[in-house]
Amino acid sequence: MELRQVGTIAGKEFWDRLRNRWVLAVALVFTVFALVIAYFGGAQQGAVGFRSIGVTIASLVSLVIYLIPLIALVLGFDAIVGERERGSLDLLLSMPITRFELLLGKYLGLAAALAFSTIAGFGLVAVVLSAQLDLPALFHYFGFMASSVLLGMAFLSIAVMLSVFAADRTHASGLAIAAWFFFVLVFDLLLLGALVVTGGSYGGEIFPYLLLLNPADVFRILNIFTLDDVRTLYGLATVFPRTLAEPWLLGLVMLAWIVTPLAVATWRFRK
């Protein structure tokens, strides 16, 4: 593998997103939503203004679970199939570059754009709130930012995999929307439905492990379980064992969600 080739493709993808203002737009969306949640998240309880880092992160987690997967899937669903439809894929492959280098370069460039916009958007909020946060609170907030980047990269990996398998952009966009609905909305409903139907007598032991099959749930647990004042509020203390909630372990699970779809995409793209 030629790293220079990968870097060239990745740089092109990143600067293309930077030139069309995509990165700026996403960063601005993150900043605005995060500031609104931080200062007005408790308005329903009659409290306006920053309350605590735990409540703020818990509210931001709910936003990120819906927003970042959608942005990542929209960003990557046509990474390969789009090139194929435009007729530029054969031209790219005629150059001294392998299919794996092309796929990896595209993913890394898109991932860099998504990570940059996420860090810039939420990082600006950290600067605004820094005067009201102590060192442990800043540590939790930066952990939230890092896990948000991992969540975006996981769903971007899924999007690139779908782009490799799809026959055209229409098919790819449909698969991306279906993936968003399944992981963000349907997956948890299916698990809860199974528990309700069985009265909790079946599946309770494997329920925590099933949550690891959804990167959105891994992200939620990674952020909520480390905050004592909101863990009980979410009910995770009685559902998810502490032995599975170690940050390093959940981080490895997120990395697996990044690597596995990319490996499948590489296998398919080489055929």
Side-chain angles (χ1 to χ4, degrees), residues 84-252:
R84 185 184 298 124
E85 280 199 349
R86 290 189 292 270
S88 54
L89 182 60
D90 291 335
L91 177 62
L92 286 171
L93 293 176
S94 68
M95 299 178 180
I97 184 172
T98 66
R99 287 176 176 264
F100 176 67
E101 291 168 351
L102 175 62
L103 184 69
L104 183 60
K106 278 188 163 292
Y107 174 80
L108 291 178
L110 295 175
L114 182 59
F116 183 82
S117 60
T118 303
I119 293 172
F122 289 130
L124 182 59
V125 177
V127 172
V128 174
L129 297 178
S130 60
Q132 305 178 55
L133 300 176
D134 55 15
L135 192 59
L138 282 173
F139 175 78
H140 281 298
Y141 188 81
F142 286 128
F144 158 76
M145 288 173 55
S147 61
S148 297
V149 171
L150 290 178
L151 178 67
M153 293 177 70
F155 274 92
L156 181 62
S157 182
I158 294 172
V160 171
M161 180 186 68
L162 296 177
S163 182
V164 171
F165 278 88
D168 51 54
R169 292 183 76 253
T170 302
H171 188 203
S173 63
L175 289 175
I177 293 172
W180 184 84
F181 269 100
F182 176 75
F183 285 112
V184 175
L185 300 176
V186 177
F187 185 88
D188 289 347
L189 292 178
L190 290 176
L191 293 186
L192 291 174
L195 288 176
V196 170
V197 169
T198 61
S201 57
Y202 299 100
E205 298 81 5
I206 65 170
F207 184 80
Y209 297 94
L210 293 177
L211 290 176
L212 299 180
L213 299 178
N214 185 348
D217 283 327
V218 176
F219 169 78
R220 180 187 289 113
I221 296 165
L222 182 59
N223 283 280
I224 299 302
F225 212 95
T226 55
L227 298 169
D228 294 332
D229 53 346
V230 295
R231 182 173 66 241
T232 305
L233 179 64
Y234 269 69
L236 286 177
T238 58
V239 175
F240 206 83
R242 184 176 290 275
T243 54
L244 286 179
E246 294 292 338
W248 66 268
L249 180 59
L250 295 174
L252 288 177

Side-chain angles (χ1 to χ4, degrees), residues 2-13:
E2 290 286 342
L3 294 180
R4 185 174 60 84
Q5 304 281 27
V6 175
T8 300
I9 297 294
K12 179 183 181 303
E13 291 293 330

